[in-house]
Amino acid sequence: MCTLIIHELSQPHFLKRLRIALTLYPPLVLVLAIFFAVATAIAALSSPLPHPLDPLSPTELTAVRSAVLAFSLVASRPISFHYVGLDEPEKPDVLSHTNADAAAILPRRAFVIARAGGLSHEFYVDVTNTSAVRVVSHGIHDGPGFPMFTTEKQVAAGQLSREYPPFRESLQRRGLALTDVGCGVFSMEWFGKNEARRLAKVQCFIVAGGTANYYARPLEGVTLLVDVEKLVIVAYRDRAAYSVPKAEGTDYRAGKAGPPFNGAVPAPGVVVQPEGKGFHIDGHIVRWANWEFHVGFDMRAGTVISMASVHDADADLWRRVLYRGFASEIFVPYMDPEEEWYFHTFMDAGEYGLGVSAVPLQPEADYPANAAYMDGYYVDADGKPVKSENIICVFEITEVRPDVTLVVRMVVTVGNYDYTLDWEFKTIGSIKTVVSLSGILEMKATNYTHVDQIRDDIHGTLIAENTVDVYHDHFITYHFDLDIDGTKNSFIKNTIIPKHNTGVRATSGAPTPRRSYWTVLYEVAETEAEGQVNINGAPADLLFVNSSKKTKVGNEVGYRLIPAGATATSLLANNDYPQRRASYTKKQVWVTPYNKSEK
Amino acid sequence: MCTLIIHELSQPHFLKRLRIALTLYPPLVLVLAIFFAVATAIAALSSPLPHPLDPLSPTELTAVRSAVLAFSLVASRPISFHYVGLDEPEKPDVLSHTNADAAAILPRRAFVIARAGGLSHEFYVDVTNTSAVRVVSHGIHDGPGFPMFTTEKQVAAGQLSREYPPFRESLQRRGLALTDVGCGVFSMEWFGKNEARRLAKVQCFIVAGGTANYYARPLEGVTLLVDVEKLVIVAYRDRAAYSVPKAEGTDYRAGKAGPPFNGAVPAPGVVVQPEGKGFHIDGHIVRWANWEFHVGFDMRAGTVISMASVHDADADLWRRVLYRGFASEIFVPYMDPEEEWYFHTFMDAGEYGLGVSAVPLQPEADYPANAAYMDGYYVDADGKPVKSENIICVFEITEVRPDVTLVVRMVVTVGNYDYTLDWEFKTIGSIKTVVSLSGILEMKATNYTHVDQIRDDIHGTLIAENTVDVYHDHFITYHFDLDIDGTKNSFIKNTIIPKHNTGVRATSGAPTPRRSYWTVLYEVAETEAEGQVNINGAPADLLFVNSSKKTKVGNEVGYRLIPAGATATSLLANNDYPQRRASYTKKQVWVTPYNKSEK
C-alpha cells in the first residue's frame, strides 16, 4: 500500500499530479527466467471463456441478484445491494489455471454486501454454472461501519428536506424558494459513537442563478441529520445565516468559462498512427509492445490492473511483475472544526465507490483520438446490472520514439472532485500510477468579502467574495500486489548513510583528501513493522526484489518504488477520530505479506 | 535559485525526471493590471533590430575577438577565450527600452573571460556599433578558480600521455597498445590548495573492442596530473591494475542495443497539426497561446528564457512572470574516496559549459515531427564563432485539449551524461522546468565478477562483471529571476501548522468533536536568511507574490514554487572540500533580492 498526500491550500481548477512510479531495477541486467505460466496464458486467452479475473458480466450479476433474493435465511425485505463484485479465485489457482487446459474454467464467485433488516449481510455466490447460481456462504457483519451508499438512497435522502417545515422556514427567512436549492448526502463519519442506524448529514446548495457550479453557493449554516435507510429526518439545525456567494464567474462549463480555459487555445494537435494502434485488446487483456496485462472493473475500486507481465526478449519469456493493483482508498479530511464542517473527512472509495463514480470519458477532452475504450458494469440498489459506458480508455502517448507510454485511464467524479486515475506503462518495464485532481472545490460561505476584514482563522482561503476554499488533504492509497518474477518477493530498504571525517577511508588504504561521502545500507524487511516507511525520513531506495532470481553478477531482480510527487504524512492528531479511521496515513508505505483476506 | 537533487544508486539508461514547477497562484482570480511595457514590445519586436537580450551574433562575436586581441594593455600571447557572452543591459533599461522608439537600440556589450600570461582576464566589450567595437573595461580575476575548460585544451591534454614513456610502460604491462586507449580531462577540483597553474587529472579508457561505450571500460588505477595550459605532465601514477570490463553488451547505439530499446517498439504515433503549428518564432521571441517569451543561448548556461509574459484576456494585457531563467549549475559529486575517484565532484556548467556541451537534436528521436529548432553560437579557444546547429527545439505536446504544453528543449552532453533540459509552458500560466537524465554511467573497473566476492565497501553497485556504477548525486540548480506583475515581488512561506487537542476551536465557538486540524502560517521573508528553504522540512507552500497587485478580495497575485520531483539535500560534510564549493546544496531554495552582479 502506498499513500500519496497533498496538503491543499487553494489552487482552484489546477491539475495537481501525484505520481508514484514502479521502475524496473536494475533494468539492463535481467536474468533469464522461465514463465510458462504467462506464456501459455496468451494462447488460452484468445478463447471466448472468461479470464478468471474478468469482472462479473451482466448475466452473472443478474443471476447473483436472483440467488440472493432467493436465499431463504434472509427473509427481511427490502434487500438493498451495496456492493457486488468478483470474489477473485485463490492466487495459486489463477496462476496454475493459465497453465492448464483452457476448457477448465475456475469456479467463479461473487462477493455481495447487502443491507436488510438493519443489518449488513455478506454473501458469497457461486456463478460458475449460470443455470445453477446459488449462495454458498452468508454472514452478518458484526461491528461498526457501513457499506458504500447506494445512489438511490443518496438521491432520496437529499429530497427529504423538501417537505420538512423547519427547512422551508429556513429558506423563507433567507428569501429562497424550494426550487432554488438542492441537497446532498455527506457521510457523517465516525466520531466515537457506534450507531446502529445509518445516519448521515444532508447539506444544501443554491442551484438557481444560472451557474452549474452549485458547490460554489452553499446554504451555509443549515444541516439535517437523516436516517439514510429509513429516509427520515432525525435532527435539524439552522445555526446561522451567511451571505450566499454570487453565481457570476463561477461556471466551469465549456463556453461559460473564460480564458485561459477558452480563448487562448492553440492550433489543435492530433496524434495519428498510420500503422494502426500499437496495442490490442482481447476481452479484458491488453497487449502492447512488451507488456501484457488484464484490465478489470470493480464498483468500489474502479480500474483493477492484474497479471501485468513484461516480455524478456533475450530469453523470449514473459516475466511477471504485478499480480493486482488498484486505488484502494481516497481519504479527504477538511480542516475546519466548525459544526457544519468537522465531519467532512471523506473516504471516497469506501463510502461512495470509485467504480460507481466513474464517468463516461469524452473523446478529445478526456483522451486523444487514438484511444480505445471499455465499459464497466455495477449494480443498482435493487441488484440489477447498470452499464457504465466508456469509463476506461487505453491510449498511447508518443512524444518521441522509443519513449512511448501506454495509458489506461479512468475519471472518477466523487461529489465536487474529479480524479483522473492513470496507469502508465513503458517499454523499459516501468509502471506508473498518476492521479490528476481536478473538478470543483468544496466551498464554504462566509460574510467576508475582503481579506482585510478577516480577524479569526477562517480555515481556508478567501478565494472570492463570501467564498472560502477550506483547507483539506487528499490521501490517495494504492494496493499493489507485486509478484516480481514469481511470488517470492522481499522488500528491501537501501538507506543512504553519510560517512563523515574519521569514517572516510579509501578502499585501497591510500590517503584521501575527501572528508565525506555516502554509502548504502541494505536491509531486508523481516517484519510488518519494518515494512512501514515514512518516505520523508532518511533518504532511501525502496526495492521489491525476488531473491531467488539473481542477475549474472548476483544482484537481485526487482523493481524500485519511486514516489515521484509531493508526499507528506497526515498532520491530524493520533487521537482524532478521522485519524483513527485513516491511521495508515501517518506512513506512506506499508508492506505486508500476501493475504487474500487483507485486500 | 532552486536545487533539485537525486541520490543515484544504479539505474543505468533509465530516464530520471526531476521536476520543478512554477504555478500561477491563484490562477482564477487575477486582477487587471497594466503592462504597457510588454504590450508595446510586441510591436517593436517585429523589427529586424536585435532584442536587447538576443545572444551575440557571429558578426558581433568576431568583432569582440578583434577588440580583445587589439587591446593594448594585455600583451601576453596566446590569448585563450574561455567565455564570451552577452553582458545583459540593466534590467530597468531593458524594460523601459521596450516602451520606447524601436530605433533606440540599447548599448550592446559582451562579457569576455580569457586566459593570457597565466592570468584570468575579464573584458567588457562594446559592440553597439559594429564598426567601432572596443574594450570598455578590463580586469584581472583576483582569487582562486578558473574559467571553463576550452575544448581545444581538453583534446590536447588528453593526447599528452601518448608520448609519455611511463604511460606506454603501463599499457605494455597490461598488454594494451596505444591505439587501444583514449584519455580525457577530469577537473581535479579544489581540495584546499590554491594553485596558480591550471592543473587537471587525465584518465583513460579502452576504446578498442567494438563498443562505443568506452566509459564502461576504464583503465582503472592510472592517473596523470597535467598542466592544461602549458600542456605538460606534472605527475604520473600507476597505482594498481584491474580487470578491464568486457565490451560485450555495453553498446548503447541504435541497432546495437537489445530490447526493450530495440525490438518491442510499438506502431509509431505522429502528432500532426492540420491547422499548422500553434506557436510562432520571430527572431528569438516565441509566441504561443497566451504566452510570449525570449529564448536566448549562452555558452555556459545553454538555453536562457527571458521576459516571459502571459496574456490576461480579461484585461487584454500582457502580465510579466519571469524576467530571466536558466540552469545555473549541475554539481555531480561521486561517493568514492579512492585516489582515482575522490576528485570526481564535477560542476558541469562552470567547468565544461552547458551551452558548449549542447548537442544537435535528432528529429523524431529527440523531438517530435511538429517541432521547430534554433541554432546557437559560441566561441572556440581562439575566439572565433562556432555555429551549433539545431540545439534548441520548440514543440507542442497535445495529449488532450486544452491541456497542451509548449516545450523548449536542449540536450546537453557533458562527458558521459546526457541532460535533457526542458522548459514547459501551459496555458493556465504555469512554467515547469524538467531535467531528464540519460546517457552513460561513469563506471569503475574492479576485479570482482560477482557480489558474493565483495567484502569491503565498493562505493557503488556491481552492475556487470568487473564494473562498478559509483554512487553519486546530481544537483541541478536553476536561477529564476521572477518579475511577477512587475519587479516588486516578495517571497512568502505558508507553513502548515497542526493544531491539536486544546488548540482546536470552531470559529463560532460551538463545541466540536474534532481533536485536530491544520492551518497556515503566513510569513514574508524579510532577510536573505529567511529566503533559504529546506523543502524537506515542515510542509509549506512557497509563494512569490506581488504585494502591490491584489485580487478583488485582497489576495496577493503570485506564483507557487512546486518541487514536483525527488528532492534532497547534500549529505556531504560541511567541512568537506566539494561541499564548501557547493555549499548551496544544503538547502534547495535560496531567495535573494535582485542584484545584477549576483547572477
Side-chain angles (χ1 to χ4, degrees):
Chain A
M1 189 179 75
C2 188
T3 302
L4 296 172
I5 298 146
I6 56 165
H7 298 293
E8 188 162 330
L9 279 78
S10 78
Q11 318 113 34
H13 293 255
F14 171 62
L15 278 184
K16 289 163 293 294
R17 291 174 181 269
L18 312 184
R19 289 166 182 263
I20 107 160
L22 292 173
T23 303
L24 195 60
Y25 173 90
L28 280 187
V29 285
L30 295 173
V31 287
L32 312 189
I34 296 170
F35 287 95
F36 291 117
V38 180
T40 318
I42 294 155
L45 290 168
S46 302
S47 82
L49 294 169
H51 184 280
L53 299 178
D54 277 358
L56 297 171
S57 68
T59 311
E60 289 173 322
L61 291 169
T62 303
V64 167
R65 175 178 181 270
S66 303
V68 168
L69 292 176
F71 185 63
S72 57
L73 297 183
V74 179
S76 309
R77 289 293 182 273
I79 293 183
S80 172
F81 289 80
H82 291 251
Y83 174 84
V84 180
L86 178 76
D87 174 43
E88 347 157 9
E90 297 296 326
K91 196 199 277 199
D93 294 343
V94 175
L95 295 175
S96 65
H97 163 79
T98 52
N99 253 337
D101 182 358
I105 305 178
L106 283 183
R108 279 180 68 76
R109 300 211 309 179
F111 176 57
V112 178
I113 304 174
R115 293 276 298 172
L119 297 171
S120 294
H121 300 263
E122 297 181 343
F123 302 90
Y124 288 90
V125 182
D126 192 314
V127 291
T128 315
N129 181 346
T130 39
S131 60
V133 173
R134 65 195 176 89
V135 173
V136 291
S137 158
H138 167 252
I140 289 171
H141 174 73
D142 182 22
F146 292 93
M148 297 191 294
F149 289 118
T150 66
T151 308
E152 292 85 343
K153 287 291 163 97
Q154 285 188 70
V155 170
Q159 300 289 331
L160 287 176
S161 59
R162 310 207 144 261
E163 304 302 321
Y164 191 63
F167 182 72
R168 285 166 168 257
E169 280 160 36
S170 293
L171 290 185
Q172 217 161 20
R173 267 201 304 282
R174 288 168 175 83
L176 292 165
L178 253 189
T179 49
D180 291 343
V181 297
C183 304
V185 168
F186 291 75
S187 170
M188 66 177 294
E189 315 301 347
W190 174 77
F191 282 86
K193 240 189 265 177
N194 292 335
E195 169 70 59
R197 295 173 296 176
R198 176 144 217 192
L199 301 183
K201 305 270 191 175
V202 168
Q203 294 181 323
C204 306
F205 301 88
I206 316 299
V207 295
T211 176
N213 187 359
Y214 54 82
Y215 283 105
R217 311 191 71 211
L219 186 69
E220 198 68 43
V222 173
T223 310
L224 296 90
L225 181 65
V226 302
D227 181 326
V228 184
E229 290 188 318
K230 299 221 168 107
L231 292 173
V232 292
I233 295 170
V234 173
Y236 182 73
R237 171 88 158 147
D238 182 351
R239 187 181 57 78
Y242 294 89
S243 308
V244 175
K246 288 182 211 147
E248 189 196 344
T250 64
D251 211 323
Y252 52 79
R253 288 174 294 182
K256 302 274 181 178
F261 303 103
N262 287 309
V265 178
V270 181
V271 179
V272 293
Q273 291 178 287
E275 297 173 23
K277 290 183 177 59
F279 60 88
H280 302 278
I281 301 180
D282 183 6
H284 288 268
I285 299 283
V286 176
R287 295 193 186 89
W288 173 78
N290 51 349
W291 276 105
E292 175 183 282
F293 53 88
H294 182 276
V295 179
F297 172 81
D298 179 80
M299 23 190 313
R300 175 180 162 141
T303 304
V304 179
I305 302 291
S306 301
M307 297 186 73
S309 295
V310 69
H311 190 252
D312 181 340
D314 291 336
D316 194 21
L317 288 169
W318 289 90
R319 304 180 63 175
R320 284 160 51 199
V321 176
L322 178 74
Y323 181 71
R324 207 152 172 74
F326 53 86
S328 52
E329 193 50 274
I330 301 179
F331 173 53
V332 190
Y334 283 75
M335 296 299 153
D336 189 336
E338 190 58 85
E339 192 173 333
E340 294 84 25
W341 281 83
Y342 75 87
F343 56 87
H344 286 225
T345 56
F346 308 106
M347 293 238 172
D348 286 342
E351 291 165 0
Y352 299 91
L354 304 183
V356 174
S357 305
V359 293
L361 298 165
Q362 304 301 318
E364 308 289 319
D366 291 325
Y367 57 82
N370 61 332
Y373 67 89
M374 297 182 183
D375 303 328
Y377 293 89
Y378 63 93
V379 298
D380 62 15
D382 192 27
K384 291 184 185 137
V386 178
K387 184 177 186 178
S388 215
E389 282 188 354
N390 206 359
I391 50 164
I392 298 176
C393 68
V394 180
F395 59 91
E396 293 164 276
I397 297 176
T398 309
E399 184 208 302
V400 291
R401 297 183 75 194
D403 191 22
V404 182
T405 305
L406 184 75
V407 182
V408 179
R409 171 169 295 174
M410 171 176 277
V411 176
V412 172
T413 299
V414 188
N416 52 311
Y417 250 88
D418 294 342
Y419 299 98
T420 302
L421 301 163
D422 287 352
W423 287 80
E424 294 185 0
F425 296 84
K426 290 210 183 246
T427 55
I428 56 162
S430 69
I431 301 176
K432 189 192 280 190
T433 59
V434 181
V435 184
S436 308
L437 282 70
S438 183
I440 304 162
L441 294 168
E442 200 175 295
M443 288 163 269
K444 179 181 179 177
T446 174
N447 292 332
Y448 295 128
T449 54
H450 196 281
V451 292
D452 291 348
Q453 300 158 353
I454 302 171
R455 292 288 168 268
D456 41 24
D457 190 343
I458 60 168
H459 306 294
T461 306
L462 189 76
I463 54 165
E465 289 181 5
N466 308 121
T467 313
V468 174
D469 167 29
V470 178
Y471 299 143
H472 61 282
D473 292 322
H474 296 260
F475 297 77
I476 298 150
T477 307
Y478 278 85
H479 170 104
F480 298 115
D481 178 0
L482 291 168
D483 274 2
I484 296 163
D485 258 5
T487 49
K488 283 198 177 161
N489 287 185
S490 302
F491 175 53
I492 309 289
K493 211 166 133 183
N494 270 339
T495 309
I496 296 180
I497 306 291
K499 299 274 184 187
H500 285 187
N501 299 313
T502 53
V504 175
R505 256 182 306 273
T507 314
S508 70
T512 177
R514 277 284 280 273
R515 293 170 174 176
S516 62
Y517 62 91
W518 56 254
T519 190
V520 174
L521 177 68
Y522 173 101
E523 288 173 303
V524 186
E526 302 286 355
T527 63
E528 289 198 357
E530 289 172 9
Q532 302 170 10
V533 182
N534 178 351
I535 58 171
N536 296 315
D541 258 7
L542 308 180
L543 309 178
F544 296 88
V545 303
N546 187 323
S547 306
S548 66
K549 303 289 169 84
K550 299 263 172 86
T551 66
K552 196 175 171 191
V553 298
N555 288 313
E556 291 158 326
V557 165
Y559 272 71
R560 186 175 165 205
L561 180 71
I562 305 176
T567 48
T569 47
S570 172
L571 298 174
L572 293 176
N574 286 330
N575 69 344
D576 201 0
Y577 299 103
Q579 187 59 40
R580 286 163 70 181
R581 280 164 58 233
S583 56
Y584 61 88
T585 53
K586 289 282 177 179
K587 301 256 174 76
Q588 294 96 349
V589 182
W590 300 76
V591 183
T592 59
Y594 177 77
N595 183 331
K596 193 191 164 192
S597 72
E598 291 182 354
K599 245 197 322 178
Chain B
M1 188 179 74
C2 188
T3 302
L4 296 171
I5 298 146
I6 56 165
H7 298 293
E8 187 162 333
L9 278 77
S10 78
Q11 319 113 32
H13 293 257
F14 172 60
L15 279 184
K16 290 161 293 294
R17 290 173 182 269
L18 312 184
R19 288 164 183 263
I20 108 161
L22 293 171
T23 303
L24 194 59
Y25 173 91
L28 280 187
V29 284
L30 295 172
V31 286
L32 312 189
I34 295 170
F35 286 95
F36 291 116
V38 180
T40 318
I42 294 154
L45 289 168
S46 303
S47 82
L49 295 170
H51 184 280
L53 299 178
D54 277 358
L56 296 170
S57 68
T59 311
E60 289 173 323
L61 291 169
T62 303
V64 167
R65 174 178 181 270
S66 303
V68 168
L69 292 175
F71 184 62
S72 57
L73 297 184
V74 179
S76 309
R77 289 294 181 274
I79 292 183
S80 172
F81 290 81
H82 291 251
Y83 174 84
V84 180
L86 178 76
D87 174 43
E88 348 157 6
E90 298 294 328
K91 195 198 277 198
D93 294 342
V94 175
L95 295 175
S96 64
H97 162 79
T98 51
N99 254 336
D101 183 357
I105 306 177
L106 282 183
R108 278 180 69 76
R109 300 210 311 177
F111 176 58
V112 178
I113 304 174
R115 292 277 298 172
L119 297 171
S120 293
H121 300 263
E122 297 182 342
F123 303 90
Y124 289 90
V125 182
D126 191 313
V127 292
T128 315
N129 181 346
T130 40
S131 61
V133 173
R134 65 196 176 88
V135 173
V136 292
S137 157
H138 167 254
I140 290 171
H141 174 73
D142 183 21
F146 293 93
M148 297 190 296
F149 289 118
T150 66
T151 308
E152 292 85 343
K153 286 292 165 94
Q154 286 188 70
V155 171
Q159 300 289 330
L160 286 176
S161 59
R162 311 206 144 261
E163 304 302 322
Y164 191 64
F167 182 72
R168 285 167 167 254
E169 281 160 36
S170 294
L171 290 185
Q172 217 160 21
R173 267 201 303 281
R174 289 168 173 83
L176 292 165
L178 252 189
T179 50
D180 290 342
V181 296
C183 304
V185 168
F186 291 76
S187 171
M188 65 178 294
E189 313 302 345
W190 174 78
F191 281 87
K193 238 190 267 178
N194 292 335
E195 169 69 60
R197 295 174 297 177
R198 175 145 218 193
L199 300 183
K201 305 270 190 175
V202 168
Q203 294 180 324
C204 306
F205 302 88
I206 317 298
V207 295
T211 177
N213 187 0
Y214 54 82
Y215 282 105
R217 311 191 72 211
L219 185 70
E220 198 67 44
V222 173
T223 311
L224 296 91
L225 181 64
V226 302
D227 182 325
V228 184
E229 290 189 317
K230 299 219 166 110
L231 292 174
V232 293
I233 295 169
V234 173
Y236 181 73
R237 171 88 158 150
D238 182 351
R239 189 181 56 78
Y242 294 88
S243 307
V244 174
K246 288 182 212 149
E248 188 195 344
T250 64
D251 211 323
Y252 51 81
R253 287 174 293 182
K256 302 274 181 177
F261 303 103
N262 287 309
V265 177
V270 181
V271 179
V272 292
Q273 291 177 288
E275 298 173 23
K277 290 184 176 61
F279 61 88
H280 302 278
I281 301 181
D282 184 5
H284 288 268
I285 300 282
V286 175
R287 295 192 186 90
W288 173 77
N290 50 350
W291 276 104
E292 175 183 281
F293 54 88
H294 181 276
V295 179
F297 172 80
D298 179 79
M299 355 185 348
R300 175 180 163 141
T303 303
V304 179
I305 301 291
S306 302
M307 296 185 74
S309 294
V310 69
H311 191 253
D312 181 340
D314 291 336
D316 194 20
L317 288 168
W318 289 89
R319 305 178 64 175
R320 285 160 51 198
V321 176
L322 178 72
Y323 182 70
R324 207 153 173 73
F326 53 87
S328 52
E329 193 51 273
I330 301 179
F331 174 53
V332 190
Y334 283 75
M335 296 298 153
D336 189 336
E338 190 58 83
E339 192 172 333
E340 295 84 25
W341 281 83
Y342 75 86
F343 55 88
H344 286 225
T345 55
F346 308 106
M347 293 236 170
D348 286 342
E351 290 164 0
Y352 299 91
L354 304 183
V356 173
S357 305
V359 293
L361 298 165
Q362 304 300 318
E364 309 289 317
D366 291 326
Y367 56 83
N370 60 334
Y373 67 89
M374 297 182 182
D375 302 328
Y377 292 89
Y378 63 92
V379 298
D380 63 16
D382 191 27
K384 289 181 187 141
V386 178
K387 184 177 186 178
S388 214
E389 282 186 354
N390 205 359
I391 49 165
I392 298 175
C393 69
V394 180
F395 58 91
E396 293 163 276
I397 298 176
T398 308
E399 184 209 302
V400 292
R401 297 182 75 194
D403 192 23
V404 182
T405 306
L406 184 75
V407 182
V408 179
R409 171 169 294 174
M410 171 176 278
V411 176
V412 172
T413 300
V414 188
N416 52 311
Y417 250 89
D418 294 342
Y419 299 98
T420 301
L421 301 163
D422 287 351
W423 287 80
E424 295 185 359
F425 296 84
K426 289 212 183 248
T427 55
I428 54 161
S430 70
I431 301 177
K432 188 191 281 189
T433 59
V434 181
V435 184
S436 308
L437 281 71
S438 183
I440 305 162
L441 294 168
E442 199 174 295
M443 287 163 270
K444 179 181 180 178
T446 174
N447 292 331
Y448 296 129
T449 55
H450 196 280
V451 292
D452 290 349
Q453 301 158 352
I454 302 171
R455 292 288 169 269
D456 41 23
D457 190 342
I458 60 167
H459 306 294
T461 307
L462 189 76
I463 54 165
E465 289 180 6
N466 308 123
T467 312
V468 174
D469 167 29
V470 178
Y471 298 144
H472 60 283
D473 293 322
H474 296 261
F475 297 76
I476 298 151
T477 307
Y478 277 85
H479 170 105
F480 297 115
D481 178 0
L482 291 168
D483 274 1
I484 296 162
D485 259 4
T487 49
K488 282 198 178 162
N489 287 186
S490 301
F491 174 54
I492 310 289
K493 212 167 133 183
N494 269 340
T495 309
I496 296 180
I497 306 290
K499 299 274 183 186
H500 285 186
N501 300 313
T502 53
V504 175
R505 255 183 305 274
T507 313
S508 69
T512 177
R514 276 284 280 274
R515 292 169 175 176
S516 63
Y517 62 90
W518 55 254
T519 190
V520 173
L521 177 67
Y522 173 100
E523 288 172 303
V524 186
E526 302 286 356
T527 64
E528 289 198 357
E530 289 171 9
Q532 302 170 9
V533 182
N534 179 351
I535 58 171
N536 296 315
D541 258 7
L542 308 180
L543 309 177
F544 296 88
V545 303
N546 187 324
S547 306
S548 65
K549 303 288 169 84
K550 299 263 172 85
T551 67
K552 196 175 171 191
V553 298
N555 288 312
E556 291 158 326
V557 165
Y559 272 71
R560 185 174 166 207
L561 181 71
I562 305 175
T567 49
T569 46
S570 172
L571 297 174
L572 293 177
N574 285 330
N575 69 345
D576 201 0
Y577 299 103
Q579 188 57 41
R580 286 163 69 181
R581 280 163 58 232
S583 55
Y584 61 89
T585 53
K586 289 282 176 179
K587 301 255 174 78
Q588 294 97 346
V589 181
W590 301 76
V591 183
T592 59
Y594 178 77
N595 181 332
K596 193 191 163 192
S597 70
E598 292 181 353
K599 248 200 317 178

